[in-house]
Amino acid sequence: MARSRADWEALARELRPEARALINGEFRQARDGRTFDTISPIDGRLIAAVARCDAADIDDAVTAARASFETGHWRQMEPPERKRILLRFAEQVRADLEHLALLETLDVGKPIQDSLASDVPSTANCIAYYAEFADKLYDEIAPTGPKDLALIRREPLGVIGAIIPWNYPLVIAAWKLGPALLAGNSVVLKPAEQSPLGAIRLGELALQAGVPPGVLNVVPGYGEEAGQALARHPDVDMVTFTGSTQVGKLMMRYAGDSNLKRVALELGGKSPQIVLRDADLGAAATDIAWAIFYNQGESCNAGSRLICDAGIKSELLAEVKRVAATITLGHPLDPSTKMGALIDAGHMQRVLGYIDTGLREGAELALGGRQALRESGGCYVEATILDRVKPSTRVAREEIFGPVLAVTEARDESEALRLANDSIFGLAAAVWTRDMDAAHRVSNALRAGTVWVNTYFKSAMTTPFGGFRQSGFGRDRSPHAIEKYTDLKTIWTTYR
Ligand code: NAP
Ligand code: MG
C-alpha cells in the first residue's frame, strides 16, 4: 500500500544517513574532522553533519582510485564479471528504492512521488543499461594490407573526477558512473554540498555489489575546496562536470592550469518552446506547464522561454494556467504533491529576485510570483508566468533555475526562430505545430542538443543528452557517453 505523508515523516525521523566520505572502500571523516550541515529545504531542519573534505581528502581518494586502476582488478576483470557486478549494483539501487527516494527528497525538496517513480528507477536503469555493454562492445580492426594487423582498441582513461549538481543528484551521478565504470575507470565523485547523501549511499551500494574498494570513491565537500582540488589534481585524467556555465568555465581553466585533463561539461540552459499558430494548444499547454514546473523548474533543460505566435497567445496562456493549477505545490513528503521546495533559502531569494527584476524590466505577472508555505520554514515559490518579456531583458536571457516561465510574442515563424536561437545556451528546444514542413524547418534550424517536436522532456537512456554552445560539450546517456571515458589506442603489428 502506498505510504502516507505521516508514514514518510516517521521514516524520516528514524533516518540516520551515512554522511562520511567513502575512500578506498572505507567510510571516514575528513582528515581534519570538519563537517558541514546538510539542511532540508522542506522545513529548514538539519538532516546530517557531513564530512567536509578538502584537498587532503581528495588526494587520498585520488591515490586510492589510481591504485585500484593500476592493480587492474576492475579494469582487467573478465567482461561478464564486470557486467554481473554492475547489474547487481543496479539491483541494489532498485531494492533500496524507498530509502534512496527519502534521502533524495529530504536533501533537495523534490516531491517523494517523483523520487520514487522517476529519480531512483532512472538511476538503476542507467547503471543496468551500461552494464550490458560490458560483453557486447567490440573494438575495431582497421583495413590494412595482408602483412599488417591494426587493432583500434578502446581503453579506459584512468582516474575520473565527477563533479555534480543538486537538482537530480542520483540520476546525474548514474549518468557519470554508468559509462565511466563500465569502461574500467576508477572514479572520485564530488556531490553538491546541498545533496551529498544520495551519492554517499550509491557508493555504499556499489561496494556491497562488489565494485572493488577504491574504484568508486565519494568525497563530499565544498566546491571551492574539494571540487577545485579534484579538478586541479595532477593525477586525475578527466573531469566530468554537470553544473552551471560559470563553474564549467572554471573547469577548463583548472584543466589548463594543471595537467590538461580531459573535460566534459553539461551546463545550464534557457530552452525555448516555439508555438506556431496552427499548434494543438491543448497538448502544447500541458507539456509547456510541466516543462517549466516539473522539479520546481530546477531542470537544466526546463522549457523556460515560451515564444508564442501573437494570434494565439492569450488562448494558450489561459490553458497553461489551467494546467499549472493542477500542479499542486505542497509538502514534498505528501504523495499528492507535484511541486516541492527549491534547494535552499539563498536560491529561493535568487529566484524571487529574478521575478522582481522581470517586473521592473517591464514584464507582466500572469501567474504566481510569490513565496509560498512560509510557515513550513522551507523554501517554496509559486508557479510563476511572466508575460510580455522583452527579449533583451535578464529574465529572457539568464537561467533562473526555478518555476518561472518567460513569455515572448513572435509575429511569425522566422521571428520565433530568431528569438529562440538568440541565446548563449543550446541545451534543448521545442516546436509546436501541425505543419510537418514547418516542424522540419524549425527543428533543423534550432541550435540545441535536443529538439522536441510536439512534445517536451521525452527521453530515454538510448538518446544522448547534452548541449550546444555554452550549454557544454560531451554527451551523457546512450552509447555515445562511453566515448568520453575511453581513449583509442592503435596497436599495429607487422608480420614478416
Ligand atoms: P554549480 O554551482 O555549478 O555546482 C555544480 C558542482 O560544482 C557542485 O558540486 C559544486 O559544489 C561544484 N563547484 C562549485 N564551485 C566549484 C569550483 N570553484 N571548483 C570545483 N567545483 C565547484 O551548479 P549547481 O547550482 O549545483 O547546479 C545548477 C546548475 O547545473 C544549473 O546551471 C543547471 O542548468 C546545471 N545543470 C546542468 C545539467 C546538464 O546536464 N546540462 C543537468 C543538471 C544541472 P558545491 O555544491 O559545494 O558548490
Ligand atoms: Mg540539502
Side-chain angles (χ1 to χ4, degrees), residues 137-151:
L137 204 59
Y138 288 71
D139 289 342
E140 298 167 31
I141 298 176
T144 59
K147 295 268 183 188
D148 294 300
L149 174 65
L151 306 177

PDB file of all heavy atoms in Angstrom, residues 137-151:
ATOM      1  N   LEU A 137      30.382  -4.757 -26.411  1.00  0.00           N
ATOM      2  CA  LEU A 137      31.032  -3.681 -27.141  1.00  0.00           C
ATOM      3  C   LEU A 137      32.311  -4.220 -27.774  1.00  0.00           C
ATOM      4  O   LEU A 137      33.193  -4.700 -27.068  1.00  0.00           O
ATOM      5  CB  LEU A 137      31.379  -2.575 -26.135  1.00  0.00           C
ATOM      6  CG  LEU A 137      31.534  -1.165 -26.633  1.00  0.00           C
ATOM      7  CD1 LEU A 137      30.261  -0.673 -27.297  1.00  0.00           C
ATOM      8  CD2 LEU A 137      31.874  -0.263 -25.437  1.00  0.00           C
ATOM      9  N   TYR A 138      32.395  -4.168 -29.087  1.00  0.00           N
ATOM     10  CA  TYR A 138      33.572  -4.695 -29.790  1.00  0.00           C
ATOM     11  C   TYR A 138      34.495  -3.551 -30.173  1.00  0.00           C
ATOM     12  O   TYR A 138      34.049  -2.456 -30.474  1.00  0.00           O
ATOM     13  CB  TYR A 138      33.133  -5.431 -31.063  1.00  0.00           C
ATOM     14  CG  TYR A 138      32.459  -6.762 -30.796  1.00  0.00           C
ATOM     15  CD1 TYR A 138      31.176  -6.814 -30.242  1.00  0.00           C
ATOM     16  CD2 TYR A 138      33.105  -7.948 -31.081  1.00  0.00           C
ATOM     17  CE1 TYR A 138      30.553  -8.023 -30.003  1.00  0.00           C
ATOM     18  CE2 TYR A 138      32.483  -9.166 -30.849  1.00  0.00           C
ATOM     19  CZ  TYR A 138      31.199  -9.201 -30.302  1.00  0.00           C
ATOM     20  OH  TYR A 138      30.590 -10.398 -30.058  1.00  0.00           O
ATOM     21  N   ASP A 139      35.787  -3.858 -30.233  1.00  0.00           N
ATOM     22  CA  ASP A 139      36.732  -2.886 -30.762  1.00  0.00           C
ATOM     23  C   ASP A 139      36.845  -3.092 -32.275  1.00  0.00           C
ATOM     24  O   ASP A 139      36.091  -3.860 -32.857  1.00  0.00           O
ATOM     25  CB  ASP A 139      38.072  -3.030 -30.042  1.00  0.00           C
ATOM     26  CG  ASP A 139      37.968  -2.521 -28.603  1.00  0.00           C
ATOM     27  OD1 ASP A 139      37.017  -1.789 -28.305  1.00  0.00           O
ATOM     28  OD2 ASP A 139      38.824  -2.867 -27.775  1.00  0.00           O
ATOM     29  N   GLU A 140      37.815  -2.413 -32.890  1.00  0.00           N
ATOM     30  CA  GLU A 140      37.865  -2.411 -34.356  1.00  0.00           C
ATOM     31  C   GLU A 140      39.181  -2.976 -34.878  1.00  0.00           C
ATOM     32  O   GLU A 140      40.203  -2.925 -34.207  1.00  0.00           O
ATOM     33  CB  GLU A 140      37.749  -0.970 -34.881  1.00  0.00           C
ATOM     34  CG  GLU A 140      36.449  -0.288 -34.534  1.00  0.00           C
ATOM     35  CD  GLU A 140      36.516   1.204 -34.801  1.00  0.00           C
ATOM     36  OE1 GLU A 140      37.246   1.631 -35.721  1.00  0.00           O
ATOM     37  OE2 GLU A 140      35.845   1.942 -34.066  1.00  0.00           O
ATOM     38  N   ILE A 141      39.116  -3.437 -36.094  1.00  0.00           N
ATOM     39  CA  ILE A 141      40.335  -3.769 -36.841  1.00  0.00           C
ATOM     40  C   ILE A 141      40.320  -2.894 -38.082  1.00  0.00           C
ATOM     41  O   ILE A 141      39.333  -2.883 -38.834  1.00  0.00           O
ATOM     42  CB  ILE A 141      40.369  -5.249 -37.235  1.00  0.00           C
ATOM     43  CG1 ILE A 141      40.367  -6.119 -35.966  1.00  0.00           C
ATOM     44  CG2 ILE A 141      41.584  -5.546 -38.098  1.00  0.00           C
ATOM     45  CD1 ILE A 141      40.294  -7.605 -36.246  1.00  0.00           C
ATOM     46  N   ALA A 142      41.384  -2.140 -38.281  1.00  0.00           N
ATOM     47  CA  ALA A 142      41.415  -1.203 -39.411  1.00  0.00           C
ATOM     48  C   ALA A 142      41.794  -1.945 -40.698  1.00  0.00           C
ATOM     49  O   ALA A 142      42.495  -2.961 -40.648  1.00  0.00           O
ATOM     50  CB  ALA A 142      42.438  -0.113 -39.132  1.00  0.00           C
ATOM     51  N   PRO A 143      41.346  -1.439 -41.832  1.00  0.00           N
ATOM     52  CA  PRO A 143      41.772  -2.033 -43.097  1.00  0.00           C
ATOM     53  C   PRO A 143      43.275  -1.820 -43.297  1.00  0.00           C
ATOM     54  O   PRO A 143      43.774  -0.706 -43.138  1.00  0.00           O
ATOM     55  CB  PRO A 143      40.990  -1.240 -44.153  1.00  0.00           C
ATOM     56  CG  PRO A 143      40.005  -0.417 -43.420  1.00  0.00           C
ATOM     57  CD  PRO A 143      40.458  -0.287 -42.013  1.00  0.00           C
ATOM     58  N   THR A 144      43.992  -2.897 -43.598  1.00  0.00           N
ATOM     59  CA  THR A 144      45.434  -2.809 -43.864  1.00  0.00           C
ATOM     60  C   THR A 144      45.759  -3.827 -44.952  1.00  0.00           C
ATOM     61  O   THR A 144      44.886  -4.606 -45.358  1.00  0.00           O
ATOM     62  CB  THR A 144      46.283  -3.201 -42.632  1.00  0.00           C
ATOM     63  OG1 THR A 144      45.925  -4.542 -42.277  1.00  0.00           O
ATOM     64  CG2 THR A 144      46.078  -2.271 -41.460  1.00  0.00           C
ATOM     65  N   GLY A 145      47.014  -3.848 -45.369  1.00  0.00           N
ATOM     66  CA  GLY A 145      47.463  -4.909 -46.266  1.00  0.00           C
ATOM     67  C   GLY A 145      47.560  -6.220 -45.502  1.00  0.00           C
ATOM     68  O   GLY A 145      47.447  -6.247 -44.268  1.00  0.00           O
ATOM     69  N   PRO A 146      47.817  -7.345 -46.214  1.00  0.00           N
ATOM     70  CA  PRO A 146      47.776  -8.671 -45.592  1.00  0.00           C
ATOM     71  C   PRO A 146      48.886  -8.932 -44.579  1.00  0.00           C
ATOM     72  O   PRO A 146      48.773  -9.819 -43.752  1.00  0.00           O
ATOM     73  CB  PRO A 146      47.909  -9.620 -46.786  1.00  0.00           C
ATOM     74  CG  PRO A 146      48.513  -8.810 -47.873  1.00  0.00           C
ATOM     75  CD  PRO A 146      48.074  -7.406 -47.655  1.00  0.00           C
ATOM     76  N   LYS A 147      49.950  -8.147 -44.622  1.00  0.00           N
ATOM     77  CA  LYS A 147      51.070  -8.369 -43.691  1.00  0.00           C
ATOM     78  C   LYS A 147      50.923  -7.593 -42.392  1.00  0.00           C
ATOM     79  O   LYS A 147      51.810  -7.614 -41.547  1.00  0.00           O
ATOM     80  CB  LYS A 147      52.388  -7.935 -44.374  1.00  0.00           C
ATOM     81  CG  LYS A 147      52.755  -8.774 -45.568  1.00  0.00           C
ATOM     82  CD  LYS A 147      53.650  -9.903 -45.126  1.00  0.00           C
ATOM     83  CE  LYS A 147      54.086 -10.724 -46.333  1.00  0.00           C
ATOM     84  NZ  LYS A 147      54.790 -11.924 -45.921  1.00  0.00           N
ATOM     85  N   ASP A 148      49.869  -6.833 -42.304  1.00  0.00           N
ATOM     86  CA  ASP A 148      49.704  -5.974 -41.125  1.00  0.00           C
ATOM     87  C   ASP A 148      48.383  -6.253 -40.422  1.00  0.00           C
ATOM     88  O   ASP A 148      47.407  -6.659 -41.044  1.00  0.00           O
ATOM     89  CB  ASP A 148      49.743  -4.504 -41.540  1.00  0.00           C
ATOM     90  CG  ASP A 148      51.103  -4.102 -42.064  1.00  0.00           C
ATOM     91  OD1 ASP A 148      52.083  -4.206 -41.302  1.00  0.00           O
ATOM     92  OD2 ASP A 148      51.186  -3.720 -43.252  1.00  0.00           O
ATOM     93  N   LEU A 149      48.402  -5.986 -39.130  1.00  0.00           N
ATOM     94  CA  LEU A 149      47.160  -6.045 -38.345  1.00  0.00           C
ATOM     95  C   LEU A 149      47.108  -4.787 -37.482  1.00  0.00           C
ATOM     96  O   LEU A 149      47.987  -4.582 -36.641  1.00  0.00           O
ATOM     97  CB  LEU A 149      47.155  -7.293 -37.456  1.00  0.00           C
ATOM     98  CG  LEU A 149      45.984  -7.383 -36.477  1.00  0.00           C
ATOM     99  CD1 LEU A 149      44.655  -7.526 -37.229  1.00  0.00           C
ATOM    100  CD2 LEU A 149      46.175  -8.547 -35.510  1.00  0.00           C
ATOM    101  N   ALA A 150      46.110  -3.962 -37.714  1.00  0.00           N
ATOM    102  CA  ALA A 150      45.977  -2.737 -36.914  1.00  0.00           C
ATOM    103  C   ALA A 150      44.717  -2.828 -36.071  1.00  0.00           C
ATOM    104  O   ALA A 150      43.597  -2.746 -36.579  1.00  0.00           O
ATOM    105  CB  ALA A 150      45.944  -1.513 -37.820  1.00  0.00           C
ATOM    106  N   LEU A 151      44.920  -3.014 -34.760  1.00  0.00           N
ATOM    107  CA  LEU A 151      43.789  -3.051 -33.818  1.00  0.00           C
ATOM    108  C   LEU A 151      43.528  -1.631 -33.338  1.00  0.00           C
ATOM    109  O   LEU A 151      44.469  -0.912 -32.999  1.00  0.00           O
ATOM    110  CB  LEU A 151      44.126  -3.909 -32.603  1.00  0.00           C
ATOM    111  CG  LEU A 151      44.602  -5.342 -32.844  1.00  0.00           C
ATOM    112  CD1 LEU A 151      44.949  -6.001 -31.508  1.00  0.00           C
ATOM    113  CD2 LEU A 151      43.503  -6.134 -33.546  1.00  0.00           C
TER     114      LEU A 151
END
